[in-house]
Amino acid sequence: MTDTAHTPVVFALAQIDTCVGDLKGNSAKVLDYVRTAMKENDKTNVVVFPEMTLTGYPIEDLAFRGTFRKAAWVAADNLARTLQSEGFADLFVIVGTVGTDHASDNPRNRLVVLHNGVVWAGYDKHFLPNYGVFDEFRIFSPGEKSLVLDVNGSRIGVAICEDIWQDGGPVAELAAQNIDVLLTINGSPYEEGKTTTRRDLGVKRAAEVKAPLIYLNQVGGQDDLVFDGASFVVAEDGTLLERSAQFEEDLSFWTLDASRAEVSTFAPEMGSDEEVYAACVLGLKDYIVKNGFGGVVLGMSGGIDSALVATMAADAVGGSNVWGISMPSRYSSDGSKDDALDLAHNLGAHYSVEPIENLFAAYQDQLHLEGVAAENLQARLRGVIVMAYSNSRGLLALATGNKSELACGYSTIYGDAVGGYAPIKDLLKTRVWDLAKWRNKKAAADGAPEVIPVNSIVKPPSAELRPGQKDSDSLPDYALLDQVLAAYIEHAHGRADLLADGFDKKTVDTVMRLVDKAEWKRRQYPLGPKVTALAFGRDRRLPITSRFSE
Amino acid sequence: MTDTAHTPVVFALAQIDTCVGDLKGNSAKVLDYVRTAMKENDKTNVVVFPEMTLTGYPIEDLAFRGTFRKAAWVAADNLARTLQSEGFADLFVIVGTVGTDHASDNPRNRLVVLHNGVVWAGYDKHFLPNYGVFDEFRIFSPGEKSLVLDVNGSRIGVAICEDIWQDGGPVAELAAQNIDVLLTINGSPYEEGKTTTRRDLGVKRAAEVKAPLIYLNQVGGQDDLVFDGASFVVAEDGTLLERSAQFEEDLSFWTLDASRAEVSTFAPEMGSDEEVYAACVLGLKDYIVKNGFGGVVLGMSGGIDSALVATMAADAVGGSNVWGISMPSRYSSDGSKDDALDLAHNLGAHYSVEPIENLFAAYQDQLHLEGVAAENLQARLRGVIVMAYSNSRGLLALATGNKSELACGYSTIYGDAVGGYAPIKDLLKTRVWDLAKWRNKKAAADGAPEVIPVNSIVKPPSAELRPGQKDSDSLPDYALLDQVLAAYIEHAHGRADLLADGFDKKTVDTVMRLVDKAEWKRRQYPLGPKVTALAFGRDRRLPITSRFSE
């Protein structure tokens, strides 16, 4: 920052939840937040919204549709005029949208400044992430010019998300331009530990440009991504100046003013289990709401996976919008049935019992299946019931598989795998237990009764598809399995690496074989929220047909 | 080409079918083709194999696994030594593989020259395609240097696939280096019309470098891609000098020799229907074989979709490896049952009848479903039967949906959509009829009896899930629907474009709404071969959650 004292610049940080494609709804929300910001602080100069505010993010190949880009342009233009007509012409409203490079006709990831009734200035994202879940090099062409805004005599440099993750480029240019603040708008998906990573990065860039950095992130669920918000402002010396809420919409203010210390807001920070739980709930909630479902339906076995999913669903949309179906067979223990009923009661969820015995008998009269085929049959008969409830009541079916199961193919495709969303698909089994315990502790701390029956947490996991079956008959112990999976999947360790990690040969070979063989099932599995550094789905793109074995 | 006469250089063009990850198998095949080439023509100087020969192509995120890259390096090294030990040290054997850039530790898409018992020279792909089905910018870093080989005094410039699709780069460099031939190795997936596109491109680049161009493509199926081979050599004046077979492995020879006209081989060229049919069969066949299935199972309704899929399956792996199941309900016409039986008989396929009446009754006693839920139930009961056959006999289940159905969501998820592979998912319904007719005509031309019952081709399409149901109750006439779908999907036309195309408003709005709403179902649909310019799947990445409507 320069030594000269400026007129203060008041920033309103509008951390909002948008919906992809909803140009009208997103524009209306921007307008709404601008009104609120001015009501709460009429000295506000700049209102900042997240990356691709108007279009939602990520828009994927929708970027290629010319009529969509045109509609986005019209939306920005209309919004600028509406802001003016409502008396906000002096404000600088910064939103993200999709643009078009007129020379090449390529889509651009664009930041626009709405001011004085027009689209006053624009900046195009320079670095296009094309790793992990990102495909931006596929759909956008990179911007070339940096942008510095003058507001009340202060120089505001701008950047979009990845621009601050890479060295060089626009941030390096801005560092030479004597800016007073670096403002970045982001669509940065949650994964565990990312809050800290972003904070560290923000500090580094603030130091680089020698000015405070505003990091404004979007919040909300979009298909398999969850955006956690957690926006912040840091000073060039690393001091945290503002912190927005995690996993909810937020409107905070921060004032750039060299002459005085400003009162800032610091939202509380969540613990690790709370964070991951909140991510799953928000991902689920936004999938339900944005896709217009009235409620959810799932099979409730009395096991820990369906118990956690049902609890998350109740936290997302209320127990009265959750339909739990107990579908006992001859192999279901009484304990399991009781646990499912207790859970439904605790959640205030609808609960029905649909035994599968008669259905199983009708099939077996005809097909006479044995072994795994007979086990899969039971799971599929249940899948048909869940989908019947879904179809006849317009409910979103939830798949209850966890990441350990999904990794090892320990689930029945078209059976327990049916559904439109899979809230815990990125949680290893051991994490499922942790979150269930955390959720019960939270209830206790809130003075509320226990939510998830303790029995569902402590009993040995079983699919209950044959007498006395236990998961441990087919899989290594979860405590060990989950460690191998984390190394193989999240850290892409090969066989030699895994042995060097200290895992025994038999376990390594078993796990690698199971994981590799199950790719085709994962490909047909429903979406679910990414919460780890590497989730199944577009984050990990492997061929189904592959003979590589180590 | 320079005017100086050189010693002739004999190229053996080894258009082979590799398997992703099968370093051992692919290396063995290379060796085998080298032996054959030398047996057929002991003057051979250069044996050319496709892009990423040793690793198979595309390897996707397998590129990130360090142990895989190491194993690929060892495979290339071993192969070079084996070639020497077998007396082929003087040969230049050109194969593709994955490399590592030692400065950045990034994977590279590499061409290596095996010669004198070592990896003699290497070249890294410069342009990395990252559009359509390709994600190479995600996994590889680009090469920087061009490579010219000296063989018998002739200068051979090399390039890898996308390198010749973009202007500039290595081809432009080679154009200034007085080369005698431009040799490109490719993994270029089939789509209708691409043979001509590639030929035109080859002519253009040959003219640019003023030398003949060798275009060597791989052949075979890999998940949702089919490589058609169709390798060729063109002269700088556009004359076709060699043409390899389509959709099968091939070993051809071509001699670079300024002094004389050489005898070349010209494989026959397929017509348009034959080509698309061959692509579907090869995609299916390689999926079956490379994934180790003993046969396939599918529901045979008597309709045209299952009839075409069953016929393709019989052409791929023989009728005796095809299990067809007729699963009649009270709504199935006698005609449909007869057609299914006739088809199975014509194909020499296994055929069984599994009525769903008792199963339907058992479910309805319990669930009392009506309307679409009751229709979906029937489809799902059939899905359970197909999967039971698949599980108990180790058969690959085939989904029989076509692109028009898939586009409009006119199918039951977990019902008729079950399967590991969907051979006609990229064929619009009108194309399904065309290919069925073509297949019958081919049989007639071969003097064989009719394969697909004419009744399956001519009757009005119906799902037969309620009395008197016809597809036309729910969908526009297929002749019209397919035109709108082609414009909306393959050409990404928005609403305004479609109206300008001359389609009526009601049809456009109906079709767009159906297509947009069905994205979640498509995401869980099995893989199938891409044969058009834009297939569902990784070729068209759209959000499920999207409120954009025009």
Side-chain angles (χ1 to χ4, degrees), chain B residues 3 23 47 70 78 82 86 113 131 158 174 202 211 218 229 236 254 259 265 280 362 371 393 403 469 474 480 506:
Chain B
D3 292 332
L23 297 165
V47 192
K70 207 167 183 178
N78 283 344
T82 308
E86 295 214 4
V113 184
Y131 51 81
V158 302
L174 294 173
Q218 83 172 73
E236 57 174 298
W254 176 75
S259 64
T265 51
C280 294
R393 287 157 213 244
K403 192 176 192 175
Q469 183 180 32
S474 313
L480 173 61
K506 185 165 163 265

Side-chain angles (χ1 to χ4, degrees), chain A residues 20 60-61 67 132 138 222-223 291 355 363 366 376 380-381 391 414 419 524 541 544-545 547 550, chain B residues 20 60-61 67 132 138 222-223 291 355 363 366 376 380-381 391 414 419 488 524 541 544-545 547 550:
Chain A
V20 164
E60 306 185 53
D61 287 2
T67 49
R138 171 187 177 87
Q222 169 61 28
D223 287 352
N291 288 289
Y363 263 97
Q366 207 164 314
N376 283 336
R380 293 201 178 106
L381 297 179
N391 287 162
Y414 321 127
Q524 294 187 36
R541 304 179 190 175
I544 291 178
T545 304
R547 286 197 185 142
E550 304 180 60
Chain B
V20 164
E60 307 185 52
D61 287 2
T67 48
R138 172 186 175 86
Q222 169 61 28
D223 288 350
N291 287 290
Y363 264 97
Q366 206 164 315
N376 283 337
R380 293 202 178 105
L381 297 178
N391 287 162
Y414 321 127
Y488 184 43
Q524 294 187 37
R541 303 179 190 175
I544 291 178
T545 304
R547 287 198 184 142
E550 304 182 60

Side-chain angles (χ1 to χ4, degrees), chain B residues 191-209:
Chain B
E191 67 186 45
E192 215 183 332
K194 207 160 179 188
T195 321
T196 312
T197 313
R198 286 190 207 120
R199 201 79 55 80
D200 292 346
L201 179 70
V203 170
K204 179 179 159 188
R205 296 305 177 204
E208 183 178 348
V209 299

Side-chain angles (χ1 to χ4, degrees), chain A residues 19-23 58-68 71 128 130-139 221-223 286-287 289-292 353-356 358-359 362-364 366-367 369-370 372-373 376-377 380-385 387-389 391-392 412-414 417-421 488 492-497 512 516 520 523-527 538-550, chain B residues 19-23 58-68 71 128 130-139 221-223 286-287 289-292 353-356 358-359 362-364 366-367 369-370 372-373 376-377 380-385 387-389 391-392 412-414 417-421 488 492-497 512 516 520 523-527 538-550:
Chain A
C19 181
V20 164
D22 191 7
L23 297 167
I59 58 171
E60 306 185 53
D61 287 2
L62 208 49
F64 298 135
R65 204 179 303 172
T67 49
F68 179 65
L128 302 170
N130 205 69
Y131 51 82
V133 299
F134 303 107
D135 280 313
E136 295 204 13
F137 195 75
R138 171 187 177 87
I139 52 171
Q222 169 61 28
D223 287 352
D286 269 10
Y287 191 87
V289 171
K290 292 177 182 177
N291 288 289
V353 181
E354 300 284 359
I356 62 164
N358 290 342
L359 313 172
Y363 263 97
Q364 284 295 56
Q366 207 164 314
L367 298 179
L369 302 173
E370 289 171 2
V372 174
N376 283 336
L377 174 61
R380 293 201 178 106
L381 297 179
R382 292 182 175 126
V384 172
I385 294 172
M387 290 310 294
Y389 271 67
N391 287 162
S392 56
T412 301
I413 189 168
Y414 321 127
V418 304
Y421 205 73
Y488 184 43
H493 283 191
R495 186 170 182 274
D497 310 317
M512 290 185 78
D516 293 351
W520 81 277
R523 209 64 82 82
Q524 294 187 36
Y525 206 79
L527 290 180
R538 58 176 148 169
D539 215 2
R540 182 178 188 263
R541 304 179 190 175
L542 286 175
I544 291 178
T545 304
S546 169
R547 286 197 185 142
F548 182 56
S549 69
E550 304 180 60
Chain B
C19 181
V20 164
D22 191 7
L23 297 165
I59 57 171
E60 307 185 52
D61 287 2
L62 210 48
F64 298 135
R65 204 177 305 171
T67 48
F68 179 64
L128 302 171
N130 204 69
Y131 51 81
V133 298
F134 302 107
D135 281 311
E136 294 203 14
F137 194 76
R138 172 186 175 86
I139 53 172
Q222 169 61 28
D223 288 350
D286 270 9
Y287 191 87
V289 172
K290 292 177 182 176
N291 287 290
V353 180
E354 300 284 0
I356 62 164
N358 291 343
L359 313 172
Y363 264 97
Q364 284 295 55
Q366 206 164 315
L367 298 179
L369 302 173
E370 290 171 2
V372 173
N376 283 337
L377 174 61
R380 293 202 178 105
L381 297 178
R382 291 181 174 126
V384 171
I385 294 172
M387 291 309 296
Y389 271 66
N391 287 162
S392 55
T412 301
I413 188 167
Y414 321 127
V418 304
Y421 205 75
Y488 184 43
H493 282 191
R495 187 169 182 274
D497 311 316
M512 290 184 77
D516 293 350
W520 81 277
R523 209 65 82 80
Q524 294 187 37
Y525 207 79
L527 288 181
R538 59 174 148 171
D539 214 2
R540 183 179 189 264
R541 303 179 190 175
L542 285 176
I544 291 178
T545 304
S546 169
R547 287 198 184 142
F548 182 55
S549 70
E550 304 182 60

